[in-house]
Amino acid sequence: MVKARRSFFTSRLNRKICKSVVISGVFLYIVYMFLSSKSSNPKWRMIPDFTVNISTTTNISHLFFGIAGASNTWSKKKLYVETWWRPNVTRGLVFMDKSPVQNLPWPLSMYPPFRVSEDNSRYREYNKHAMPFVIRVARVIEETFKTDHDGGVIRWYVMADDDTVFFIDNLVEVLSKYDHRKYFYIGMRSESIVSNSLNSFEMAFGGGGYALSYPLAKAVAQNMDLCIKRYPTVFGSDQLLQSCIADLGVSLTQEKGFHQIDFHRDISGFLSAHPQSPLVSLHHFDAVDPIFPSMNRIESVNHLMKAAAVDQSRLLQQTICYYNKNNWTFSVSWGYSVQIYEDIFPPSYLYRPLETFIPWKKGANPPYMFNTRPLPTDPCDAPHFFFFSSVDENRVMNHIVTTYKRGSPRWLPACVSNASRSADHISKIRLLSPLMNRGWQDGDRRECCDVVHLVGMDSLAVKLRDCMNDEIVA
Ligand SMILES: *[C@@H]1O[C@H](CO)[C@@H](O)[C@H](O)[C@H]1NC(C)=O
Ligand SMILES: *[C@@H]1O[C@H](CO)[C@@H](O)[C@H](O)[C@H]1NC(C)=O
Ligand SMILES: *[C@@H]1O[C@H](CO)[C@@H](O)[C@H](O)[C@H]1NC(C)=O
Ligand SMILES: *[C@@H]1O[C@H](CO)[C@@H](O)[C@H](O)[C@H]1NC(C)=O
Ligand SMILES: *[C@@H]1O[C@H](CO)[C@@H](O)[C@H](O)[C@H]1NC(C)=O
């Protein structure tokens, strides 16, 4: 009994054990000190990412773009790349199926450098995909990762098509929310139920672009060969990649600002009711009408970029307010459009896009992943549509002034008989927004607005501001 109560340390055997524990502890400590002194030497850094100071926010130099292009369409698609690419600032590569001979020389002052994709003939027996170029495009991430990228500086690999248009500041803003040292696959599904169902509802669409954090890109690149062999029949490159990523135990993080734009015709209704999220990308401009009236497609994109250059964080953000005197509702999509309705509609209704567009592919009813409003024919329900025309940064008044002009007459009868209550004579709207860039914080509300005054007969001013505590937009 007494013996059994003797403490651990008093037993001779245990004293011996203790001694050896202490000795091996000292030994491990010495090894640890040796290794940690070595690890401050760059040559000893096995995984450079662990030394990254997480508190340095992600900026544009931490992103690397891998763009899937094709030599026969480049002369057309390069015009879209030019709208967003910032020479000497953005880093990345365009991958071509073959040398784009007719586009040489290739000015690096305008585009990313190109690479011709590696020969994929060794995968011939695994290529039973619906499209012939699936393997080449899926391997863009692998080939991008394998290129030299300044030893550990890159945090995000951003994959895109040659007709993807990015809003870079917003892309950086969105990615900087996430820890690039973890496994992230960030993008968005298609707006079209049929597109998602053909591919996957859990997949980021490459046209909208998507980002892989460094460790995920590395794991995907290292396992690409196996993955191609495992999925010889999936529909497209994005689905092949999503399958590889799923096999690594990583699922899609959806960010609402990436847009595949699986629509046809007029997408003004969609662009006038953007979700409350930074606009990150747009795509498929060649599949839809020019987004501004009386401009061609490229001119339209460059026109939107004028607003983006002044305040990207507000771009397409929707704000609703009322002009009670006339019973009017205003719906603003910053830098793109203003709609005036000659009746009162609640925000919950106006946040649904007007269905100005048609489905990408028929086959699902409803066809879209979101609610829409049918195009009204009643003059009191149909909006007066004004499109972004110019931007002026007025630092004196501490406001940015964007101006919107009527696209075309409505070709509808007046809603009200009293002419001074009718919006038919309004041709121009000036929107004042506080100069400071709002930035984006999760949990922020949309901004509020006031209709300030009528300016002369044909124009009026609307002013954006922060909503007051507990303010209800009604
Ligand atoms: C990380 O960065 C912050 C801000 O730049 C700095 O204050 C801090 O000292 C850095 N920490 C390390 C360990 O380098
Ligand atoms: C981005 O941040 C890094 C530090 O992580 C810094 O060295 C670099 O100059 C920054 N680049 C830009 C364009 O701000
Ligand atoms: C890009 O950088 C190079 C070298 O740093 C310089 O010669 C060139 O003029 C720069 N180009 C642009 C478009 O800024
Ligand atoms: C404003 O609209 C409401 C509801 O649509 C209607 O009841 C009211 O009569 C209208 N007021 C005026 C002044 O037109
Ligand atoms: C027409 O509307 C204006 C502005 O709301 C109002 O001042 C005026 O009295 C109205 N006229 C008639 C005839 O109702």
Side-chain angles (χ1 to χ4, degrees):
M1 285 299 278
V2 178
K3 236 179 175 179
R5 272 208 219 122
R6 280 222 318 234
S7 86
F8 183 80
F9 287 99
T10 50
S11 123
R12 255 176 66 188
L13 178 67
N14 285 337
R15 240 178 305 172
K16 238 183 186 165
I17 291 173
C18 276
K19 228 182 189 169
S20 61
V21 165
V22 169
I23 289 168
S24 49
V26 168
F27 175 73
L28 284 175
Y29 180 72
I30 291 167
V31 169
Y32 168 77
M33 290 305 285
F34 174 74
L35 285 180
S36 51
S37 72
K38 284 289 182 188
S39 69
S40 59
N41 174 345
K43 276 187 208 146
W44 277 72
R45 281 190 212 149
M46 306 279 284
I47 306 160
D49 297 39
F50 289 166
T51 63
V52 167
N53 187 340
I54 182 68
S55 64
T56 68
T57 35
T58 294
N59 65 42
I60 193 161
S61 328
H62 298 123
L63 274 51
F64 197 92
F65 293 87
I67 301 167
S71 68
N72 64 339
T73 53
W74 177 251
S75 32
K76 201 168 175 199
K77 305 294 183 186
K78 69 182 180 186
L79 301 173
Y80 292 115
V81 175
E82 271 178 52
T83 63
W84 63 272
W85 185 256
R86 297 184 195 163
N88 276 4
V89 177
T90 35
R91 306 143 171 255
L93 294 167
V94 183
F95 286 84
M96 296 286 178
D97 48 346
K98 53 180 193 277
S99 178
V101 192
Q102 71 275 31
N103 285 294
L104 298 176
W106 186 281
L108 293 180
S109 57
M110 295 168 87
Y111 322 117
F114 76 86
R115 292 272 191 286
V116 175
S117 292
E118 287 171 10
D119 175 27
N120 291 311
S121 55
R122 68 180 182 282
Y123 296 112
R124 202 169 289 132
E125 71 170 293
Y126 302 100
N127 187 0
K128 300 184 176 62
H129 306 279
M131 289 167 284
F133 46 81
V134 165
I135 291 176
R136 178 178 87 82
V137 173
R139 290 194 65 230
V140 165
I141 176 69
E142 181 191 358
E143 292 191 44
T144 304
F145 188 84
K146 283 194 301 196
T147 59
D148 178 37
H149 35 243
D150 271 4
V153 171
I154 303 305
R155 298 181 176 187
W156 296 97
Y157 289 86
V158 182
M159 300 294 114
D161 290 353
D162 51 6
D163 58 345
T164 307
V165 169
F166 281 112
F167 299 87
I168 295 284
D169 298 339
N170 286 344
L171 174 63
V172 170
E173 177 97 35
V174 162
L175 294 181
S176 63
K177 286 194 305 187
Y178 299 95
D179 187 345
H180 60 277
R181 300 167 308 174
K182 298 196 167 171
Y183 290 80
F184 278 110
Y185 167 45
I186 300 175
M188 193 63 200
R189 326 190 257 218
S190 169
E191 304 84 0
S192 152
I193 290 180
V194 173
S195 298
N196 290 325
S197 131
L198 264 177
N199 288 274
S200 164
F201 282 87
E202 304 309 318
M203 183 187 99
F205 279 65
Y210 47 78
L212 308 188
S213 59
Y214 179 89
L216 178 58
K218 185 176 180 183
V220 167
Q222 285 171 346
N223 291 289
M224 186 53 87
D225 195 64
L226 189 65
C227 182
I228 289 171
K229 293 174 181 171
R230 193 182 299 157
Y231 296 102
T233 59
V234 296
F235 187 78
S237 326
D238 297 330
Q239 196 190 355
L240 179 58
L241 196 71
Q242 185 257 330
S243 309
C244 311
I245 292 172
D247 292 351
L248 292 164
V250 178
S251 48
L252 176 64
T253 298
Q254 294 184 40
E255 275 289 343
K256 294 173 186 169
F258 290 87
H259 298 290
Q260 167 76 5
I261 306 290
D262 275 348
F263 305 115
H264 288 295
R265 306 241 181 107
D266 172 8
I267 58 167
S268 63
F270 184 74
L271 300 180
S272 299
H274 192 267
Q276 189 195 358
S277 195
L279 172 67
V280 174
S281 67
L282 293 172
H283 176 237
H284 270 163
F285 282 103
D286 286 337
V288 298
D289 295 346
I291 60 170
F292 287 106
S294 45
M295 286 186 192
N296 70 28
R297 296 187 164 88
I298 294 291
E299 284 166 356
S300 297
V301 178
N302 281 318
H303 188 58
L304 188 66
M305 286 295 176
K306 287 181 204 158
V310 174
D311 187 354
Q312 220 168 82
S313 71
R314 277 202 180 87
L315 195 62
L316 298 198
Q317 298 309 303
Q318 193 182 6
T319 309
I320 312 283
C321 53
Y322 302 98
Y323 188 50
N324 290 325
K325 184 165 161 277
N326 283 5
N327 247 13
W328 290 353
T329 303
F330 284 74
S331 172
V332 172
S333 168
W334 198 94
Y336 182 67
S337 71
V338 175
Q339 298 172 353
I340 303 180
Y341 296 84
E342 291 174 62
D343 202 345
I344 303 298
F345 293 107
S348 57
Y349 175 73
L350 297 170
Y351 292 158
R352 299 177 169 198
L354 261 183
E355 208 173 317
T356 54
F357 41 84
I358 61 164
W360 180 249
K361 277 198 173 82
K362 291 203 178 102
N365 190 16
Y368 309 112
M369 297 289 290
F370 51 87
N371 298 112
T372 58
R373 287 182 284 146
L375 268 184
T377 47
D378 181 320
C380 294
D381 295 340
H384 297 260
F385 232 113
F386 302 81
F387 287 94
F388 168 66
S389 129
S390 62
V391 59
D392 177 22
E393 233 179 311
N394 189 336
R395 294 189 181 274
V396 180
M397 283 169 59
N398 275 335
H399 278 86
I400 301 164
V401 181
T402 42
T403 306
Y404 304 79
K405 289 188 174 158
R406 192 183 281 277
S408 57
R410 291 206 304 168
W411 309 119
L412 286 175
C415 161
V416 285
S417 53
N418 183 340
S420 61
R421 284 237 175 100
S422 163
D424 284 338
H425 59 279
I426 304 292
S427 61
K428 189 167 134 189
I429 294 161
R430 281 154 56 86
L431 177 71
L432 282 71
S433 37
L435 190 58
M436 86 284 180
N437 184 322
R438 288 185 84 216
W440 276 90
Q441 300 264 305
D442 283 346
D444 277 352
R445 292 190 287 174
R446 296 175 193 253
E447 288 187 290
C448 282
C449 59
D450 298 306
V451 178
V452 193
H453 54 93
L454 294 163
V455 188
M457 279 304 289
D458 66 344
S459 69
L460 49 81
V462 178
K463 200 168 176 178
L464 293 187
R465 58 170 172 81
D466 283 337
C467 296
M468 292 174 288
N469 286 346
D470 301 327
E471 178 168 357
I472 289 172
V473 180

